[in-house]
Amino acid sequence: MSPYGLYFANGNYYLLCRYQGKENISYYRVDRIRSPILLEDQLAEPLPIGLDLAHYARERVYPFPGEVIRAVLRCDEDLLSDVLDRFGMETQLRDNGDGTFDATVFTGAAGLKFWALQYVAVCQVLEPLWLRREISDALWMGWERYQKTPETTSGMKE
């Protein structure tokens, strides 16, 4: 494995690295790495040409693998600082004049889905449509699950 740097996200440090001969960057939470071994006779492979590690990490909402996509979000205006904190000051914004704004972001799809589900009450993904459908399906499955009355841990319904 070729280690390239550390990335701080969601209160945790992640090691950004790449396996020998592979193209994809991997992430590993540092606090979960057990008994690392330094192989002095194995040289780290250089970063792929054109890959800026800081830019790569900034483009991911959460440290999930996958390609970066272009997405458009519609958010309540109160979410502006959260959007800029998460996606960066270069985020393209458009005020809709109705208490919402549209944000064009470039980020990983899996991380954006996770982020959007957290902010579902105040933000929606407009584009791409396939991601919007995935989020809609997840919300529908969650709604169905919450409509059932669960048994408590003691085995009795409340």
Side-chain angles (χ1 to χ4, degrees):
M1 172 188 320
S2 296
Y4 296 124
L6 294 176
Y7 170 59
F8 187 76
N10 308 313
N12 298 295
Y13 281 98
Y14 293 84
L15 172 66
L16 282 87
C17 57
R18 191 175 67 163
Y19 285 99
Q20 306 299 76
K22 301 291 183 184
E23 289 296 317
N24 295 336
I25 300 292
S26 296
Y27 298 80
Y28 294 97
R29 259 184 57 179
V30 171
D31 63 316
R32 293 184 177 166
I33 297 174
R34 302 285 182 240
S35 305
I37 299 170
L38 177 62
L39 303 175
E40 294 184 27
D41 60 336
Q42 186 176 14
L43 297 175
E45 291 183 1
L47 281 171
I49 294 173
L51 179 65
D52 177 345
L53 203 56
H55 183 73
Y56 179 90
R58 258 193 327 272
E59 283 184 328
R60 276 126 184 102
V61 180
Y62 292 104
F64 294 138
E67 294 299 313
V68 170
I69 62 163
R70 176 190 175 273
V72 179
L73 314 174
R74 176 153 300 150
C75 306
D76 290 358
E77 62 188 3
D78 293 341
L79 199 58
L80 179 59
S81 62
D82 292 273
V83 168
L84 293 176
D85 286 347
R86 182 54 69 181
F87 299 104
M89 297 302 290
E90 64 278 356
T91 300
Q92 299 171 3
L93 302 171
R94 187 185 78 193
D95 184 355
N96 295 320
D98 61 357
T100 68
F101 65 91
D102 290 352
T104 301
V105 300
F106 295 87
T107 189
L112 179 57
K113 179 180 173 181
F114 186 70
W115 184 89
L117 287 167
Q118 293 176 78
Y119 288 97
V120 70
V122 292
C123 184
Q124 61 179 306
V125 173
L126 300 179
E127 298 174 20
L129 290 177
W130 63 265
L131 181 57
R132 182 178 174 87
R133 285 188 203 105
E134 277 188 25
I135 293 168
S136 176
D137 291 347
L139 290 169
W140 182 255
M141 288 187 303
W143 182 84
E144 286 181 329
R145 178 172 288 163
Y146 273 81
Q147 296 310 301
K148 298 174 186 172
T149 304
E151 292 188 15
T152 63
T153 55
S154 64
M156 297 176 56
K157 293 185 178 182
E158 290 188 27

